Amino acid sequence: MLSPTTALLQHGPMGPHGGATGMGMAPGGWWLLLVAFVIAAVAVGALLYVQLQGEATAEPDSLETLKQQYASGEIDETELETRADRLLQHES
């Protein structure tokens, strides 16, 4: 049998199977950092996805204004098409 001093020198204070310094799931270990990183990455990805989806479905304000003017009778269909074409050409 090994003396306590020899065992401590060979295996460290937590024994031969690790602990806080080994690959186990010790409180405050590196695995906590990894879990936090994965959660943060998923959250950032979800926020970016929602932001990009919102921008893709939003209509330009000027085109919406044209539609409202047409609906209220301020402009006719020909004027709507002319202005909408002009707006779409400038956006491209």
Side-chain angles (χ1 to χ4, degrees), residues 61-76:
D61 291 331
S62 52
L63 191 57
E64 187 62 35
T65 302
L66 279 177
K67 288 180 180 181
Q68 290 174 357
Q69 289 175 343
Y70 175 71
S72 67
E74 294 177 40
I75 60 175
D76 62 359

Side-chain angles (χ1 to χ4, degrees), residues 23-55:
M23 294 300 291
M25 294 178 71
W30 286 102
W31 69 273
L32 266 178
L33 185 61
L34 178 64
V35 169
F37 177 76
V38 168
I39 290 172
V42 168
V44 168
L47 288 174
L48 286 174
Y49 177 78
V50 168
Q51 179 74 22
L52 291 174
Q53 289 297 327
E55 289 176 4

Side-chain angles (χ1 to χ4, degrees), residues 2-13 15-16:
L2 297 174
S3 72
T5 305
T6 306
L8 184 61
L9 290 174
Q10 286 181 351
H11 302 294

